[in-house]
Each structure stands twice: as C-alpha cells, then as structure tokens.
Amino acid sequence: METKQRFGYLEALAAKGMIRQFQKGRTILFQGEVPRSVLALKKGMIKVYGITSNGDQRTVTLLGPGDVLPMSWVTDKAPVCLYYYEALTDCTVLAISKDDYQLEMNHNTDLRNQMLENYVSHYVGATMHIYALEQSHAQDKLSYLLQYLVARFGVVEADGKTKIDLRLSHQDIAEMVGITRETTAVELHKLKKKGFISYQKFTYYVDVPKLIRSTGGDEFENVRV
C-alpha cells in the first residue's frame, strides 16, 4: 500500500497541524517525556524501544505511515511516553494538538474506522512478535520474527519470494528478539544456507512456504498486518 493511502483520513487533520522533519537516527520522543502534541507519521519508519537494566536496547515495535504516536498518551492510558521513539529512516510527521485529534476522531467516522483497523493490525502483529520472543531457541525466534516482518512489511517479488521492505542490520533484528548480534548473524546464515532466506545490503528476501514448513506455523502464511 502506498504511503498516501496508509496516511489516509489523517489528512483531514493537516490544516490544524504542522509538518516536522526528523533525520534518520534522531530521537523523536524520550521515555518518560510528556508529549506536546499527537504525532501522525506521514513518511518513513520509526523504531519504538526500551532499555533494559543492563543497558541493552530492546525493540518493542516498528511504526510506519498512518501510525499515530505515542498511543499510550494519545489514548490517555499513560501520562508520559512509555518508550523511546527513534527515526529508523528520515521521517515526515504531522504534529497536531491532542484536543484537535480527539475532536476529529469524535466527528470523523472514516478516520475512527481507519484508526480501529490500524490498532487491530498492531495487536495481531504484537502477538506474532511475542510468539517469536517466547521461542526457546535462537533460530526459532528468528524464523517466527521473519514471519511477523513478512506479514507486516512483506512485498511479493516476481520470483515468488517475499521482500521485507525495510533495511535491517543484524543488530536491528537482534534487538527485536533479545539475542546478541553475533548469534543473530550465525543463525541467519544457517537459514540462508537452508534456502529459507537470502539477504544483501540490509534487505531480506524470504521463501515463505519453505520457512513456514520448517516451523510448522502454516497458520501465519496468509496473515497481513
């Protein structure tokens, strides 16, 4: 789906907001910060993460065009940001007041339905991510994580393989499942030798049927979030 389509009915808020640009690697919101406004992502990718007591970074989720943040604050479930929000790529964000956002949500049925569908997709994606985290072995963690990434960001190529439409380093992937970068590199190489995946320049291509058969998780084959 194109970026404009993903942003969709959030465009109704454009006249009331202000466009902000964030370069790749910049922290957009800090854990514990009280946000000044609701942020709607128009273009780019945002990484949401926390830091463990040992100082390790752990990725909670990835946000794309059409996502609103920080949802814990926007929906009045928390008075502050629960995590850090970092620009994974260069990002374009629409900043709007919380009052304006809530007013539009109350009166714009199309926007409300779009946000509901968005939240449901994130919920399903979160359960897939959690399932990957619960696996005992590193290779299984990565196999199920790849299935989640395919469901969320997959684009089917002409050769039938699915491209994960993100640029992810071994470190990025390691932070998603709580293992070391070194272990991630070794286990991804094993998956590559088995013919389940291929990768070059931080882009991953997945032979979905082969990968799913290896885990027995065929219930995830046609999931799109």
Side-chain angles (χ1 to χ4, degrees):
M1 188 182 295
E2 294 183 2
T3 295
K4 186 174 180 180
Q5 292 176 300
R6 290 174 177 170
F7 195 69
Y9 293 104
L10 283 163
E11 198 64 53
L13 293 161
K16 301 177 182 178
M18 179 177 65
I19 294 295
R20 300 179 63 188
Q21 305 287 345
F22 295 92
Q23 291 185 334
K24 177 181 178 180
R26 182 176 172 185
T27 300
I28 298 171
L29 292 167
F30 290 85
Q31 188 175 49
E33 177 181 348
V34 179
R36 297 181 180 180
S37 57
V38 175
L39 302 179
L41 183 56
K42 292 198 71 172
K43 184 179 179 181
M45 298 295 302
I46 292 174
K47 176 169 67 174
V48 184
Y49 69 93
I51 297 177
T52 70
S53 57
N54 293 327
D56 297 323
Q57 190 168 296
R58 292 290 178 259
T59 300
V60 176
T61 191
L62 301 174
L63 303 181
D67 283 328
V68 170
L69 59 142
M71 283 311 305
S72 55
W73 177 78
V74 172
T75 57
D76 296 322
K77 301 302 182 185
V80 298
C81 291
L82 299 181
Y83 306 105
Y84 294 92
Y85 292 75
E86 178 185 300
L88 192 62
T89 66
D90 291 344
C91 291
T92 301
V93 173
L94 174 67
I96 52 178
S97 74
K98 193 173 186 179
D99 287 343
D100 283 340
Y101 174 80
Q102 292 178 338
L103 184 64
E104 191 67 29
M105 283 285 285
N106 288 336
H107 292 90
N108 189 327
T109 302
D110 291 326
L111 176 59
R112 192 160 60 245
N113 289 340
Q114 176 181 316
M115 289 297 98
L116 176 60
E117 183 176 347
N118 182 285
Y119 301 155
V120 171
S121 292
H122 271 289
Y123 170 77
V124 174
T127 62
M128 294 178 72
H129 191 177
I130 290 169
Y131 195 63
L133 288 166
E134 288 180 339
Q135 301 304 309
S136 301
H137 303 291
Q139 189 168 128
D140 291 336
K141 287 178 182 286
L142 292 170
S143 294
Y144 280 105
L145 177 72
L146 288 167
Q147 291 180 48
Y148 157 63
L149 293 174
V150 162
R152 182 87 193 279
F153 304 106
V155 177
V156 179
E157 300 281 276
D159 62 1
K161 292 186 179 180
T162 300
K163 173 185 176 182
I164 297 174
D165 200 18
L166 294 172
R167 286 176 58 82
L168 296 170
S169 67
H170 288 166
Q171 185 62 39
D172 290 329
I173 293 174
E175 289 171 3
M176 290 185 195
V177 286
I179 58 180
T180 66
R181 182 189 61 78
E182 292 78 11
T183 298
T184 298
V186 169
E187 296 302 331
L188 285 174
H189 183 67
K190 290 179 182 177
L191 291 173
K192 183 177 182 180
K193 286 185 68 176
K194 292 177 180 178
F196 299 160
I197 65 171
S198 60
Y199 48 87
Q200 55 184 353
K201 296 182 179 179
F202 304 110
T203 301
Y204 292 77
Y205 300 84
V206 181
D207 189 321
V208 175
K210 283 185 179 180
L211 183 66
I212 285 177
R213 282 198 298 271
S214 75
T215 62
D218 57 342
E219 60 273 12
F220 297 135
E221 184 168 3
N222 296 312
V223 176
R224 291 293 179 268
V225 296

